Amino acid sequence: MKRRQFFTLSSASAAAILMSRCAASNQIKAQPTLSESYASNGSLLELSLDARQSQVSLGGTQANLLTFNGQIPGPRLEARGGDTVRIRFLNNLQNPSNLHYHGLHVPPTGNADNVFLSVPPGERLTYEFTLPKNHPPGTFWYHPHKHGFVADQVFGGLAGLFIVRGELDEIAEIKAAREEFVVLKDFSIGQNGQLLPPNPMEKMHGREGNLVTVNGEVRPRFSIPEKGLLRLRLLNASTSRFYRLSLEEHPFYIIATDGGAIAEPVETNEVLLTPGERVEVLVKGDRPPGEYRLLDLPYNRGGMGMMGGGRMGPGGRMGPGGMMGGGMMGRGNMRRGSGQGNNGETRTLATLRYGDRAQPEVPLPKQLIPVETLPEPNGVKRFTLNHGMAPGRGMIFLINGKAFKGDRIDTQVQLNRIEDWELTSTGTMDHPFHLHTNHFQTISRNQQPEPYRAWKDTVLVRRGEVVRIRVPFRDFPGKTVYHCHILDHEDLGMMGNIQMQA
């Protein structure tokens, strides 16, 4: 993001806003329609999820995709802190699968958010866990996480929103805003409607599809209430594609990131969403009524470069000379906005048009939810992200010189401690780094402090960049993972196991 600034709001009557649920804007129905939704009832969210291949209309084409309950995206789930979640998962795919509840702070063990569970084809598993009463409200999601099959299954369509309601939703101005859910997802569809398998180079780079959708539609329309607010909950559910978002003639006002609300709205002209990331923004309906395009601007996330000649050593560790360095693609030519990413094209994702006038006018909120200031860490760990070659395997992706092994513990931490993790990408690609179970705060990039505090679970590490995050390890002991959220890179080895000890 660039040109960030804190936004100061002129005074307004909160009492008047509380009474202004915007009757006119509530009558507006946006054309895109998400899949069915399930909300908790009596502190219980209960449903069945059937992962299967289904024929779905996608961009005017009948496509054979992987779906939850026959829908793209999967059903939207909604709960509150303290609610119990019970999901009866049926795997009707051809390969083993499971579920990961991305961003939720719940146990990584048992039948909760346990990515080491494996549900064979034709088998069932009931997931059950309880959200902590103090779980932050926010935009989370669910998707398969069976190692070796993650990229194929998510790319095929298996993803859905998981919304946790709470304090943020009760702020008067937020409550008065029109709310829309936006799931960004690309697909590769052949002329016969079948999913196109990636070739080896696409898997190494991270596959991107030939069809980009918003809520399973191509260039849908949304409504902005004139003189009101539009709240967009944005999810990048793509396997590898980055989205550099801009709205014609309108700034975004960020109100929440991966782990929930920030302290006050932050104005920006662009939002960069890497795979797995979420952001919530407000759009002010203060421009001349008309239609405005939601754009995906060019972004270059790197390339393969010139390969070193190293080999894998004992224990899966890269031997001397085996890392990929700057290569043929100079880092100076690969920054955001270089015009080389997304095929160098600016793409229209959706159109936002003005609808009925809000009564009365709804201003931006002044304050949101305070973000905790974390104390200095108890220790520092360092992680290097890179890629190389292994005999008989071809290209693999590495963390600290190692490709993933399920039975190896790569990192151990103690609960109730705070650690700084220093993340560096020394190869030729950008990598979004995702940590399961615990949220963190990004402290600095190349020793430059972040402009505002926010809770995250996925952070971009650009090639040549050093990113420092601060992680409070809380509540839940057990084994889980951290990995690159370019899911082909995860399946090709860029993942590690972490053991959290009480």
Side-chain angles (χ1 to χ4, degrees):
M1 297 180 218
K2 61 181 181 180
R3 297 179 60 187
R4 298 185 183 99
Q5 64 183 36
F6 287 95
F7 189 88
T8 303
L9 180 68
S10 59
S11 60
S13 169
I17 299 168
L18 278 168
M19 300 173 63
S20 65
R21 188 61 174 142
C22 302
S25 65
N26 283 344
Q27 295 172 2
I28 299 171
K29 298 298 182 183
Q31 290 187 20
T33 54
L34 276 173
S35 305
E36 63 183 340
S37 62
Y38 294 86
S40 56
N41 182 15
S43 299
L44 174 65
L45 173 61
E46 186 172 22
L47 68 145
S48 296
L49 278 181
D50 177 4
R52 65 177 186 265
Q53 188 175 60
S54 304
Q55 192 170 75
V56 178
S57 178
L58 200 68
T61 299
Q62 290 299 114
N64 290 312
L65 305 178
L66 305 184
T67 69
F68 287 121
N69 294 1
Q71 302 162 25
I72 296 290
R76 184 175 80 249
L77 313 182
E78 296 197 9
R80 289 181 172 270
D83 287 351
T84 295
V85 178
R86 184 180 301 138
I87 297 178
R88 296 177 295 273
F89 176 63
L90 171 60
N91 180 15
N92 273 320
L93 306 173
Q94 296 180 351
N95 293 303
S97 189
N98 61 16
L99 291 177
H100 166 46
Y101 303 95
H102 184 128
L104 292 187
H105 183 60
V106 295
T109 53
N111 284 16
D113 188 23
N114 187 346
V115 297
F116 301 104
L117 295 174
S118 182
V119 184
E123 297 294 322
R124 301 173 184 267
L125 177 68
T126 297
Y127 286 87
E128 185 165 340
F129 54 89
T130 298
L131 293 171
K133 289 185 177 180
N134 64 347
H135 196 288
T139 302
F140 309 100
W141 64 303
Y142 61 93
H143 62 82
H145 210 291
K146 174 61 180 173
H147 182 63
F149 302 95
V150 182
D152 286 344
Q153 293 181 3
V154 173
F155 194 70
L158 293 174
L161 284 165
F162 196 119
I163 304 298
V164 178
R165 296 283 183 182
E167 185 180 1
L168 178 64
D169 305 282
E170 300 305 319
I171 294 175
E173 297 90 341
I174 304 296
K175 196 171 184 179
R178 176 175 180 79
E179 182 179 56
E180 293 288 358
F181 305 91
V182 180
V183 179
L184 303 171
K185 181 76 179 69
D186 59 345
F187 298 89
S188 278
I189 307 296
Q191 292 183 347
N192 59 358
Q194 300 297 319
L195 284 165
L196 297 175
N199 62 44
M201 186 59 70
E202 288 173 325
K203 291 185 70 173
M204 287 186 289
H205 186 250
R207 69 190 83 179
E208 295 187 11
N210 57 18
L211 182 65
V212 178
T213 67
V214 176
N215 299 340
E217 301 187 42
V218 176
R219 293 186 293 277
R221 295 176 182 267
F222 296 92
S223 290
I224 307 175
E226 185 181 353
K227 302 302 180 183
L229 295 176
L230 174 65
R231 178 188 187 182
L232 297 176
R233 292 180 180 258
L234 295 148
L235 159 66
N236 182 352
S238 294
T239 303
S240 307
R241 183 181 293 274
F242 289 25
Y243 296 91
R244 182 179 160 217
L245 303 174
S246 177
L247 179 59
E248 288 181 321
E249 300 185 31
H250 292 74
F252 296 123
Y253 297 93
I254 300 172
I255 60 171
T257 53
D258 296 342
I262 58 178
E264 55 188 349
V266 172
E267 181 180 356
T268 183
N269 290 328
E270 296 179 7
V271 169
L272 180 65
L273 274 189
T274 68
E277 283 190 299
R278 291 87 62 212
V279 69
E280 296 183 36
V281 300
L282 295 177
V283 177
K284 293 176 64 178
D286 60 355
R287 297 297 192 265
E291 294 192 346
Y292 299 87
R293 295 178 299 163
L294 178 64
L295 301 173
D296 179 22
L297 304 176
Y299 182 89
N300 188 332
R301 57 187 180 85
M304 299 310 301
M306 182 177 292
M307 183 68 66
R311 294 290 185 267
M312 294 298 294
R317 185 181 294 274
M318 178 61 69
M323 297 297 185
M324 295 177 69
M328 298 175 63
M329 301 180 66
R331 292 189 181 100
N333 296 325
M334 298 193 290
R335 296 272 67 87
R336 183 179 63 195
S338 66
Q340 299 303 309
N342 294 350
N343 296 319
E345 301 173 354
T346 294
R347 177 182 291 105
T348 299
L349 297 175
T351 300
L352 279 66
R353 61 181 179 182
Y354 276 70
D356 293 339
R357 191 181 184 96
Q359 299 293 336
E361 180 177 342
V362 183
L364 286 170
K366 290 181 180 180
Q367 300 294 326
L368 299 168
I369 309 297
V371 178
E372 175 187 0
T373 300
L374 295 173
E376 289 299 305
N378 301 111
V380 179
K381 290 184 171 66
R382 292 175 174 83
F383 301 83
T384 299
L385 314 179
N386 210 304
H387 37 273
M389 301 295 291
R393 296 177 61 185
M395 177 170 280
I396 57 174
F397 287 78
L398 313 166
I399 299 178
N400 288 345
K402 298 178 182 179
F404 178 72
K405 291 184 68 175
D407 59 355
R408 183 186 66 221
I409 298 298
D410 300 287
T411 300
Q412 295 189 46
V413 299
Q414 293 288 328
L415 291 185
N416 302 313
R417 283 173 57 91
I418 294 175
E419 293 191 352
D420 273 11
W421 286 15
E422 190 174 274
L423 313 171
T424 306
S425 175
T426 59
T428 61
M429 302 184 199
D430 295 358
H431 296 287
F433 182 91
H434 173 48
L435 174 65
H436 287 217
T437 306
N438 291 290
H439 299 133
F440 55 79
Q441 295 178 16
T442 305
I443 302 302
S444 65
R445 291 179 179 274
N446 291 334
Q447 299 184 338
Q448 297 300 310
E450 284 289 282
Y452 62 92
R453 286 196 301 274
W455 288 112
K456 298 282 293 173
D457 57 54
T458 305
V459 63
L460 174 61
V461 185
R462 295 182 178 91
R463 48 211 181 278
E465 191 172 50
V466 179
V467 177
R468 183 173 284 241
I469 63 175
R470 188 158 294 169
V471 192
F473 290 96
R474 295 169 173 163
D475 300 323
F476 304 119
K479 176 184 172 185
T480 190
V481 295
Y482 49 85
H483 60 87
C484 176
H485 219 283
I486 294 175
L487 297 177
D488 284 303
H489 294 175
E490 175 201 324
D491 281 339
L492 290 171
M494 192 174 276
M495 182 160 70
N497 290 315
I498 177 172
Q499 182 72 44
M500 299 172 290
Q501 298 174 333

